[in-house]
């Protein structure tokens, strides 16, 4: 994943309506999952301050589905234009993914965060503002980016914790990895970078996946940061192809 900070998102009104539709259809499922993960409402209100089991601080790449497992990861959202479409496509293919959410986006679109949870997907902390240079900043700044995003995501989800932490642009530090792990968020890397944020064309993205998947199971896509129509086209081809090749989509190890 190259360092990137594309924004300029559009078509918010149409896609927000799609997000509401997704949420309404899955509200009961989300409620059950949120309560299972986070406990009763009074517990969820203080979830960000509750102690959780520490996880490993080394950067995860492997899949919990074993040697033929694949992890689909979706970064930088949620976005009202693209996240509902990604969710629909994943559902149509019977695939669960890990959504690496930017704190400000989660705060702006809590309905979409809940829709992601309702779909059986997992949440990942992608910091407050997606600062790809945060590895050059003081530890206090790194802490603020990680912990504030954690609180934003938990609140937006209704109490469901992010299970992973992905540094923007791969800007991990030993301090940020240790901090995230102490809050139950396994640092999450990637093996296959589709470079979809550069809009190289869906054929190029698909070719990258087919060429590089043997090197490791975690594939990087985006549902925000610009026009993601090429990403959708690539996913429509990649997901059935992975299944045909005998791969099984799962989640990153924790």
């Amino acid at each position: 994943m190259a360092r990137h900070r594309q924004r300029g998102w559009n078509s918010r009104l149409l896609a927000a309506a799609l997000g509401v539709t997704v949420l309404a259809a899955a509200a009961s499922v989300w409620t059950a999952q949120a309560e299972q993960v986070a406990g009763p409402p009074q517990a969820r209100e203080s979830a960000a301050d509750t102690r959780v089991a520490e996880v490993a601080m080394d950067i995860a790449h492997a899949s919990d589905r074993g040697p033929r497992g694949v992890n689909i990861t979706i970064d930088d959202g949620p976005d009202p234009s693209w996240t509902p479409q990604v969710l629909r496509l994943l559902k149509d293919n019977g695939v669960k993914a890990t959504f690496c959410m930017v704190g400000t986006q989660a705060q702006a679109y809590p309905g979409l965060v809940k829709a992601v949870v309702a779909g059986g997907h997992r949440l990942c902390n992608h910091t407050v503002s997606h600062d790809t240079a945060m590895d050059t900043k003081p530890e206090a700044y790194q802490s603020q980016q990680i912990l504030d995003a954690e609180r934003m995501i938990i609140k937006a989800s209704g109490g469901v914790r992010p299970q992973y932490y992905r540094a923007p642009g791969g800007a991990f530090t030993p301090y940020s990895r240790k901090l995230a792990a102490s809050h139950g968020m396994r640092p999450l890397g990637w093996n296959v970078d589709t470079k979809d944020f550069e809009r190289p064309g869906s054929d190029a993205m698909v070719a990258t996946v087919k060429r590089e998947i043997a090197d490791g199971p975690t594939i990087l896509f985006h549902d925000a940061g610009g026009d993601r129509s090429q990403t959708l086209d690539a996913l429509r081809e990649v997901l059935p192809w992975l299944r045909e090749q005998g791969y099984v989509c799962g989640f990153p190890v924790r």
Side-chain angles (χ1 to χ4, degrees), residues 184-225:
M185 296 178 286
R186 179 74 181 267
L188 176 59
W190 60 88
N191 305 104
V192 181
D193 183 359
T194 63
K195 299 189 184 300
D196 59 342
F197 57 90
E198 294 179 355
R199 293 180 50 77
S202 60
D203 289 345
M205 297 179 209
V206 172
T208 296
V209 173
K210 292 181 177 181
R211 182 177 63 251
E212 298 182 9
I213 191 61
D215 297 333
T218 302
I219 308 174
L220 173 62
F221 290 100
H222 294 78
D223 63 343

mmCIF file of all heavy atoms in Angstrom, residues 184-225:
data_model
loop_
_atom_site.group_PDB
_atom_site.id
_atom_site.type_symbol
_atom_site.label_atom_id
_atom_site.label_comp_id
_atom_site.label_asym_id
_atom_site.label_seq_id
_atom_site.Cartn_x
_atom_site.Cartn_y
_atom_site.Cartn_z
ATOM 1 N N GLY A 184 -6.221 -4.651 22.441
ATOM 2 C CA GLY A 184 -6.874 -5.767 21.769
ATOM 3 C C GLY A 184 -6.958 -5.649 20.270
ATOM 4 O O GLY A 184 -7.733 -6.373 19.639
ATOM 5 N N MET A 185 -6.142 -4.756 19.664
ATOM 6 C CA MET A 185 -6.178 -4.555 18.219
ATOM 7 C C MET A 185 -4.874 -5.064 17.612
ATOM 8 O O MET A 185 -3.810 -4.470 17.794
ATOM 9 C CB MET A 185 -6.369 -3.070 17.886
ATOM 10 C CG MET A 185 -7.699 -2.499 18.351
ATOM 11 S SD MET A 185 -7.895 -0.730 18.005
ATOM 12 C CE MET A 185 -6.786 0.009 19.252
ATOM 13 N N ARG A 186 -4.936 -6.168 16.903
ATOM 14 C CA ARG A 186 -3.750 -6.756 16.291
ATOM 15 C C ARG A 186 -3.295 -5.885 15.123
ATOM 16 O O ARG A 186 -4.091 -5.547 14.234
ATOM 17 C CB ARG A 186 -4.069 -8.169 15.781
ATOM 18 C CG ARG A 186 -2.892 -8.873 15.101
ATOM 19 C CD ARG A 186 -1.864 -9.345 16.096
ATOM 20 N NE ARG A 186 -0.741 -9.991 15.428
ATOM 21 C CZ ARG A 186 -0.643 -11.297 15.193
ATOM 22 N NH1 ARG A 186 -1.625 -12.109 15.596
ATOM 23 N NH2 ARG A 186 0.419 -11.796 14.586
ATOM 24 N N PRO A 187 -2.036 -5.453 15.099
ATOM 25 C CA PRO A 187 -1.527 -4.723 13.939
ATOM 26 C C PRO A 187 -1.715 -5.556 12.671
ATOM 27 O O PRO A 187 -1.418 -6.754 12.659
ATOM 28 C CB PRO A 187 -0.045 -4.528 14.273
ATOM 29 C CG PRO A 187 -0.011 -4.533 15.780
ATOM 30 C CD PRO A 187 -1.040 -5.544 16.179
ATOM 31 N N LEU A 188 -2.221 -4.911 11.640
ATOM 32 C CA LEU A 188 -2.617 -5.628 10.425
ATOM 33 C C LEU A 188 -1.872 -5.086 9.209
ATOM 34 O O LEU A 188 -1.936 -3.895 8.901
ATOM 35 C CB LEU A 188 -4.127 -5.491 10.214
ATOM 36 C CG LEU A 188 -4.713 -6.098 8.945
ATOM 37 C CD1 LEU A 188 -4.433 -7.594 8.865
ATOM 38 C CD2 LEU A 188 -6.212 -5.822 8.874
ATOM 39 N N GLY A 189 -1.192 -5.967 8.526
ATOM 40 C CA GLY A 189 -0.497 -5.583 7.304
ATOM 41 C C GLY A 189 -1.270 -6.007 6.069
ATOM 42 O O GLY A 189 -2.496 -6.169 6.097
ATOM 43 N N TRP A 190 -0.559 -6.200 4.969
ATOM 44 C CA TRP A 190 -1.160 -6.693 3.732
ATOM 45 C C TRP A 190 -0.073 -7.368 2.924
ATOM 46 O O TRP A 190 1.119 -7.133 3.125
ATOM 47 C CB TRP A 190 -1.809 -5.564 2.927
ATOM 48 C CG TRP A 190 -0.839 -4.493 2.527
ATOM 49 C CD1 TRP A 190 -0.060 -4.462 1.398
ATOM 50 C CD2 TRP A 190 -0.528 -3.306 3.266
ATOM 51 N NE1 TRP A 190 0.713 -3.322 1.392
ATOM 52 C CE2 TRP A 190 0.448 -2.604 2.530
ATOM 53 C CE3 TRP A 190 -0.976 -2.780 4.470
ATOM 54 C CZ2 TRP A 190 0.985 -1.387 2.975
ATOM 55 C CZ3 TRP A 190 -0.444 -1.580 4.908
ATOM 56 C CH2 TRP A 190 0.523 -0.895 4.160
ATOM 57 N N ASN A 191 -0.474 -8.223 2.008
ATOM 58 C CA ASN A 191 0.454 -8.901 1.105
ATOM 59 C C ASN A 191 0.264 -8.475 -0.332
ATOM 60 O O ASN A 191 1.221 -8.387 -1.095
ATOM 61 C CB ASN A 191 0.265 -10.425 1.197
ATOM 62 C CG ASN A 191 0.397 -10.958 2.599
ATOM 63 O OD1 ASN A 191 -0.606 -11.285 3.221
ATOM 64 N ND2 ASN A 191 1.616 -11.032 3.123
ATOM 65 N N VAL A 192 -1.002 -8.226 -0.701
ATOM 66 C CA VAL A 192 -1.326 -7.876 -2.085
ATOM 67 C C VAL A 192 -1.938 -6.480 -2.096
ATOM 68 O O VAL A 192 -3.033 -6.275 -1.564
ATOM 69 C CB VAL A 192 -2.311 -8.886 -2.699
ATOM 70 C CG1 VAL A 192 -2.614 -8.509 -4.149
ATOM 71 C CG2 VAL A 192 -1.766 -10.302 -2.601
ATOM 72 N N ASP A 193 -1.228 -5.543 -2.694
ATOM 73 C CA ASP A 193 -1.731 -4.172 -2.804
ATOM 74 C C ASP A 193 -2.249 -3.962 -4.219
ATOM 75 O O ASP A 193 -1.474 -3.901 -5.169
ATOM 76 C CB ASP A 193 -0.603 -3.176 -2.498
ATOM 77 C CG ASP A 193 -1.069 -1.734 -2.524
ATOM 78 O OD1 ASP A 193 -2.260 -1.498 -2.801
ATOM 79 O OD2 ASP A 193 -0.241 -0.836 -2.258
ATOM 80 N N THR A 194 -3.564 -3.863 -4.344
ATOM 81 C CA THR A 194 -4.153 -3.684 -5.674
ATOM 82 C C THR A 194 -3.909 -2.299 -6.257
ATOM 83 O O THR A 194 -4.143 -2.081 -7.437
ATOM 84 C CB THR A 194 -5.671 -3.916 -5.622
ATOM 85 O OG1 THR A 194 -6.276 -2.925 -4.769
ATOM 86 C CG2 THR A 194 -5.988 -5.310 -5.093
ATOM 87 N N LYS A 195 -3.463 -1.371 -5.396
ATOM 88 C CA LYS A 195 -3.234 0.025 -5.805
ATOM 89 C C LYS A 195 -4.479 0.642 -6.440
ATOM 90 O O LYS A 195 -4.404 1.461 -7.365
ATOM 91 C CB LYS A 195 -2.030 0.133 -6.745
ATOM 92 C CG LYS A 195 -0.720 -0.333 -6.107
ATOM 93 C CD LYS A 195 0.467 -0.020 -6.986
ATOM 94 C CE LYS A 195 1.752 -0.585 -6.393
ATOM 95 N NZ LYS A 195 2.049 -0.030 -5.062
ATOM 96 N N ASP A 196 -5.629 0.248 -5.929
ATOM 97 C CA ASP A 196 -6.864 0.756 -6.513
ATOM 98 C C ASP A 196 -7.041 2.240 -6.307
ATOM 99 O O ASP A 196 -7.770 2.899 -7.063
ATOM 100 C CB ASP A 196 -8.076 -0.021 -5.995
ATOM 101 C CG ASP A 196 -8.232 0.026 -4.484
ATOM 102 O OD1 ASP A 196 -7.259 0.364 -3.781
ATOM 103 O OD2 ASP A 196 -9.336 -0.289 -3.993
ATOM 104 N N PHE A 197 -6.361 2.800 -5.287
ATOM 105 C CA PHE A 197 -6.467 4.253 -5.072
ATOM 106 C C PHE A 197 -5.817 5.037 -6.204
ATOM 107 O O PHE A 197 -6.079 6.224 -6.371
ATOM 108 C CB PHE A 197 -5.825 4.630 -3.730
ATOM 109 C CG PHE A 197 -4.392 4.219 -3.588
ATOM 110 C CD1 PHE A 197 -3.373 5.069 -3.976
ATOM 111 C CD2 PHE A 197 -4.066 2.985 -3.057
ATOM 112 C CE1 PHE A 197 -2.053 4.687 -3.844
ATOM 113 C CE2 PHE A 197 -2.743 2.605 -2.910
ATOM 114 C CZ PHE A 197 -1.730 3.452 -3.318
ATOM 115 N N GLU A 198 -4.980 4.377 -7.016
ATOM 116 C CA GLU A 198 -4.365 5.030 -8.177
ATOM 117 C C GLU A 198 -5.220 4.874 -9.437
ATOM 118 O O GLU A 198 -4.871 5.408 -10.486
ATOM 119 C CB GLU A 198 -2.979 4.442 -8.437
ATOM 120 C CG GLU A 198 -1.969 4.727 -7.323
ATOM 121 C CD GLU A 198 -0.617 4.116 -7.594
ATOM 122 O OE1 GLU A 198 -0.472 3.380 -8.615
ATOM 123 O OE2 GLU A 198 0.308 4.357 -6.802
ATOM 124 N N ARG A 199 -6.305 4.115 -9.336
ATOM 125 C CA ARG A 199 -7.202 3.856 -10.465
ATOM 126 C C ARG A 199 -6.449 3.346 -11.700
ATOM 127 O O ARG A 199 -6.507 3.931 -12.781
ATOM 128 C CB ARG A 199 -8.007 5.112 -10.804
ATOM 129 C CG ARG A 199 -8.998 5.498 -9.713
ATOM 130 C CD ARG A 199 -9.792 6.756 -10.053
ATOM 131 N NE ARG A 199 -10.398 6.709 -11.372
ATOM 132 C CZ ARG A 199 -11.502 6.028 -11.680
ATOM 133 N NH1 ARG A 199 -12.122 5.336 -10.744
ATOM 134 N NH2 ARG A 199 -11.979 6.036 -12.900
ATOM 135 N N PRO A 200 -5.765 2.203 -11.555
ATOM 136 C CA PRO A 200 -5.006 1.664 -12.687
ATOM 137 C C PRO A 200 -5.857 0.900 -13.681
ATOM 138 O O PRO A 200 -5.350 0.448 -14.716
ATOM 139 C CB PRO A 200 -4.028 0.703 -11.998
ATOM 140 C CG PRO A 200 -4.797 0.192 -10.831
ATOM 141 C CD PRO A 200 -5.630 1.368 -10.356
ATOM 142 N N GLY A 201 -7.154 0.751 -13.386
ATOM 143 C CA GLY A 201 -8.050 -0.060 -14.200
ATOM 144 C C GLY A 201 -8.303 -1.385 -13.512
ATOM 145 O O GLY A 201 -7.413 -1.954 -12.871
ATOM 146 N N SER A 202 -9.525 -1.879 -13.630
ATOM 147 C CA SER A 202 -9.884 -3.111 -12.929
ATOM 148 C C SER A 202 -9.073 -4.305 -13.422
ATOM 149 O O SER A 202 -8.735 -5.199 -12.640
ATOM 150 C CB SER A 202 -11.379 -3.384 -13.079
ATOM 151 O OG SER A 202 -11.742 -3.530 -14.442
ATOM 152 N N ASP A 203 -8.730 -4.322 -14.711
ATOM 153 C CA ASP A 203 -7.941 -5.442 -15.235
ATOM 154 C C ASP A 203 -6.579 -5.505 -14.560
ATOM 155 O O ASP A 203 -6.080 -6.595 -14.246
ATOM 156 C CB ASP A 203 -7.758 -5.309 -16.744
ATOM 157 C CG ASP A 203 -9.040 -5.568 -17.518
ATOM 158 O OD1 ASP A 203 -9.992 -6.124 -16.925
ATOM 159 O OD2 ASP A 203 -9.096 -5.206 -18.711
ATOM 160 N N ALA A 204 -5.970 -4.346 -14.329
ATOM 161 C CA ALA A 204 -4.666 -4.311 -13.667
ATOM 162 C C ALA A 204 -4.781 -4.794 -12.229
ATOM 163 O O ALA A 204 -3.901 -5.509 -11.730
ATOM 164 C CB ALA A 204 -4.088 -2.900 -13.712
ATOM 165 N N MET A 205 -5.859 -4.420 -11.557
ATOM 166 C CA MET A 205 -6.059 -4.866 -10.170
ATOM 167 C C MET A 205 -6.217 -6.378 -10.114
ATOM 168 O O MET A 205 -5.619 -7.049 -9.261
ATOM 169 C CB MET A 205 -7.297 -4.198 -9.575
ATOM 170 C CG MET A 205 -7.220 -2.701 -9.464
ATOM 171 S SD MET A 205 -8.787 -2.069 -8.759
ATOM 172 C CE MET A 205 -8.833 -0.447 -9.500
ATOM 173 N N VAL A 206 -7.036 -6.905 -10.990
ATOM 174 C CA VAL A 206 -7.264 -8.349 -11.017
ATOM 175 C C VAL A 206 -5.959 -9.082 -11.311
ATOM 176 O O VAL A 206 -5.634 -10.096 -10.666
ATOM 177 C CB VAL A 206 -8.336 -8.706 -12.064
ATOM 178 C CG1 VAL A 206 -8.436 -10.220 -12.225
ATOM 179 C CG2 VAL A 206 -9.682 -8.119 -11.667
ATOM 180 N N ALA A 207 -5.189 -8.568 -12.260
ATOM 181 C CA ALA A 207 -3.912 -9.195 -12.600
ATOM 182 C C ALA A 207 -2.960 -9.187 -11.411
ATOM 183 O O ALA A 207 -2.227 -10.159 -11.177
ATOM 184 C CB ALA A 207 -3.282 -8.482 -13.792
ATOM 185 N N THR A 208 -2.983 -8.101 -10.642
ATOM 186 C CA THR A 208 -2.128 -8.024 -9.453
ATOM 187 C C THR A 208 -2.500 -9.099 -8.446
ATOM 188 O O THR A 208 -1.623 -9.770 -7.884
ATOM 189 C CB THR A 208 -2.241 -6.635 -8.800
ATOM 190 O OG1 THR A 208 -1.742 -5.647 -9.704
ATOM 191 C CG2 THR A 208 -1.444 -6.568 -7.509
ATOM 192 N N VAL A 209 -3.787 -9.254 -8.204
ATOM 193 C CA VAL A 209 -4.232 -10.284 -7.260
ATOM 194 C C VAL A 209 -3.809 -11.664 -7.740
ATOM 195 O O VAL A 209 -3.244 -12.463 -6.956
ATOM 196 C CB VAL A 209 -5.755 -10.223 -7.058
ATOM 197 C CG1 VAL A 209 -6.226 -11.412 -6.210
ATOM 198 C CG2 VAL A 209 -6.159 -8.916 -6.405
ATOM 199 N N LYS A 210 -4.052 -11.978 -8.982
ATOM 200 C CA LYS A 210 -3.723 -13.296 -9.508
ATOM 201 C C LYS A 210 -2.212 -13.550 -9.476
ATOM 202 O O LYS A 210 -1.773 -14.683 -9.209
ATOM 203 C CB LYS A 210 -4.244 -13.437 -10.937
ATOM 204 C CG LYS A 210 -5.759 -13.472 -11.034
ATOM 205 C CD LYS A 210 -6.227 -13.640 -12.471
ATOM 206 C CE LYS A 210 -7.743 -13.756 -12.543
ATOM 207 N NZ LYS A 210 -8.218 -13.940 -13.946
ATOM 208 N N ARG A 211 -1.429 -12.513 -9.682
ATOM 209 C CA ARG A 211 0.031 -12.656 -9.712
ATOM 210 C C ARG A 211 0.620 -12.775 -8.309
ATOM 211 O O ARG A 211 1.592 -13.516 -8.093
ATOM 212 C CB ARG A 211 0.640 -11.463 -10.442
ATOM 213 C CG ARG A 211 2.152 -11.508 -10.577
ATOM 214 C CD ARG A 211 2.668 -10.331 -11.379
ATOM 215 N NE ARG A 211 2.396 -9.060 -10.727
ATOM 216 C CZ ARG A 211 1.520 -8.160 -11.140
ATOM 217 N NH1 ARG A 211 0.794 -8.385 -12.213
ATOM 218 N NH2 ARG A 211 1.349 -7.021 -10.486
ATOM 219 N N GLU A 212 0.041 -12.059 -7.330
ATOM 220 C CA GLU A 212 0.690 -11.929 -6.033
ATOM 221 C C GLU A 212 0.049 -12.721 -4.901
ATOM 222 O O GLU A 212 0.616 -12.803 -3.812
ATOM 223 C CB GLU A 212 0.758 -10.453 -5.643
ATOM 224 C CG GLU A 212 1.571 -9.617 -6.614
ATOM 225 C CD GLU A 212 1.682 -8.153 -6.198
ATOM 226 O OE1 GLU A 212 1.267 -7.822 -5.056
ATOM 227 O OE2 GLU A 212 2.179 -7.341 -7.008
ATOM 228 N N ILE A 213 -1.114 -13.320 -5.115
ATOM 229 C CA ILE A 213 -1.801 -13.983 -4.012
ATOM 230 C C ILE A 213 -0.983 -15.143 -3.445
ATOM 231 O O ILE A 213 -1.101 -15.468 -2.251
ATOM 232 C CB ILE A 213 -3.205 -14.465 -4.459
ATOM 233 C CG1 ILE A 213 -4.022 -14.906 -3.248
ATOM 234 C CG2 ILE A 213 -3.096 -15.577 -5.497
ATOM 235 C CD1 ILE A 213 -4.284 -13.840 -2.234
ATOM 236 N N ALA A 214 -0.137 -15.736 -4.243
ATOM 237 C CA ALA A 214 0.700 -16.830 -3.739
ATOM 238 C C ALA A 214 1.722 -16.331 -2.720
ATOM 239 O O ALA A 214 2.266 -17.129 -1.938
ATOM 240 C CB ALA A 214 1.414 -17.522 -4.897
ATOM 241 N N ASP A 215 1.964 -15.011 -2.684
ATOM 242 C CA ASP A 215 2.948 -14.450 -1.754
ATOM 243 C C ASP A 215 2.370 -14.194 -0.371
ATOM 244 O O ASP A 215 3.114 -13.899 0.565
ATOM 245 C CB ASP A 215 3.501 -13.130 -2.316
ATOM 246 C CG ASP A 215 4.240 -13.326 -3.629
ATOM 247 O OD1 ASP A 215 4.776 -14.433 -3.846
ATOM 248 O OD2 ASP A 215 4.270 -12.380 -4.440
ATOM 249 N N GLY A 216 1.057 -14.259 -0.231
ATOM 250 C CA GLY A 216 0.432 -14.017 1.064
ATOM 251 C C GLY A 216 -1.042 -13.730 0.900
ATOM 252 O O GLY A 216 -1.492 -13.302 -0.174
ATOM 253 N N PRO A 217 -1.838 -13.928 1.972
ATOM 254 C CA PRO A 217 -3.294 -13.976 1.814
ATOM 255 C C PRO A 217 -4.059 -12.677 1.982
ATOM 256 O O PRO A 217 -5.249 -12.638 1.705
ATOM 257 C CB PRO A 217 -3.705 -14.943 2.927
ATOM 258 C CG PRO A 217 -2.718 -14.658 4.024
ATOM 259 C CD PRO A 217 -1.418 -14.372 3.324
ATOM 260 N N THR A 218 -3.415 -11.605 2.453
ATOM 261 C CA THR A 218 -4.183 -10.401 2.793
ATOM 262 C C THR A 218 -4.164 -9.409 1.642
ATOM 263 O O THR A 218 -3.109 -8.900 1.252
ATOM 264 C CB THR A 218 -3.640 -9.754 4.078
ATOM 265 O OG1 THR A 218 -3.691 -10.709 5.137
ATOM 266 C CG2 THR A 218 -4.467 -8.542 4.466
ATOM 267 N N ILE A 219 -5.357 -9.125 1.101
ATOM 268 C CA ILE A 219 -5.501 -8.283 -0.089
ATOM 269 C C ILE A 219 -6.084 -6.933 0.312
ATOM 270 O O ILE A 219 -7.040 -6.864 1.083
ATOM 271 C CB ILE A 219 -6.425 -8.958 -1.119
ATOM 272 C CG1 ILE A 219 -5.958 -10.388 -1.398
ATOM 273 C CG2 ILE A 219 -6.462 -8.147 -2.409
ATOM 274 C CD1 ILE A 219 -6.908 -11.172 -2.296
ATOM 275 N N LEU A 220 -5.529 -5.876 -0.241
ATOM 276 C CA LEU A 220 -5.919 -4.512 0.101
ATOM 277 C C LEU A 220 -6.745 -3.864 -1.001
ATOM 278 O O LEU A 220 -6.305 -3.753 -2.150
ATOM 279 C CB LEU A 220 -4.663 -3.679 0.353
ATOM 280 C CG LEU A 220 -4.834 -2.177 0.573
ATOM 281 C CD1 LEU A 220 -5.679 -1.920 1.814
ATOM 282 C CD2 LEU A 220 -3.480 -1.494 0.711
ATOM 283 N N PHE A 221 -7.976 -3.455 -0.615
ATOM 284 C CA PHE A 221 -8.850 -2.657 -1.469
ATOM 285 C C PHE A 221 -9.284 -1.424 -0.677
ATOM 286 O O PHE A 221 -8.990 -1.298 0.503
ATOM 287 C CB PHE A 221 -10.092 -3.454 -1.888
ATOM 288 C CG PHE A 221 -9.840 -4.570 -2.853
ATOM 289 C CD1 PHE A 221 -9.755 -5.887 -2.404
ATOM 290 C CD2 PHE A 221 -9.725 -4.330 -4.212
ATOM 291 C CE1 PHE A 221 -9.548 -6.939 -3.291
ATOM 292 C CE2 PHE A 221 -9.518 -5.371 -5.116
ATOM 293 C CZ PHE A 221 -9.424 -6.682 -4.649
ATOM 294 N N HIS A 222 -10.025 -0.518 -1.326
ATOM 295 C CA HIS A 222 -10.533 0.689 -0.673
ATOM 296 C C HIS A 222 -12.013 0.899 -1.012
ATOM 297 O O HIS A 222 -12.451 0.604 -2.124
ATOM 298 C CB HIS A 222 -9.749 1.932 -1.109
ATOM 299 C CG HIS A 222 -8.321 1.927 -0.662
ATOM 300 N ND1 HIS A 222 -7.344 1.187 -1.291
ATOM 301 C CD2 HIS A 222 -7.701 2.564 0.374
ATOM 302 C CE1 HIS A 222 -6.185 1.372 -0.677
ATOM 303 N NE2 HIS A 222 -6.378 2.197 0.333
ATOM 304 N N ASP A 223 -12.743 1.457 -0.035
ATOM 305 C CA ASP A 223 -14.140 1.831 -0.288
ATOM 306 C C ASP A 223 -14.337 3.334 -0.107
ATOM 307 O O ASP A 223 -15.469 3.802 0.029
ATOM 308 C CB ASP A 223 -15.095 1.059 0.622
ATOM 309 C CG ASP A 223 -14.886 1.352 2.105
ATOM 310 O OD1 ASP A 223 -13.818 1.886 2.467
ATOM 311 O OD2 ASP A 223 -15.787 1.028 2.913
ATOM 312 N N ALA A 224 -13.255 4.085 -0.110
ATOM 313 C CA ALA A 224 -13.339 5.545 0.061
ATOM 314 C C ALA A 224 -12.090 6.168 -0.545
ATOM 315 O O ALA A 224 -11.212 5.480 -1.057
ATOM 316 C CB ALA A 224 -13.469 5.912 1.539
ATOM 317 N N GLY A 225 -12.034 7.507 -0.497
ATOM 318 C CA GLY A 225 -10.873 8.211 -1.013
ATOM 319 C C GLY A 225 -10.979 8.588 -2.472
ATOM 320 O O GLY A 225 -9.987 8.984 -3.084
#
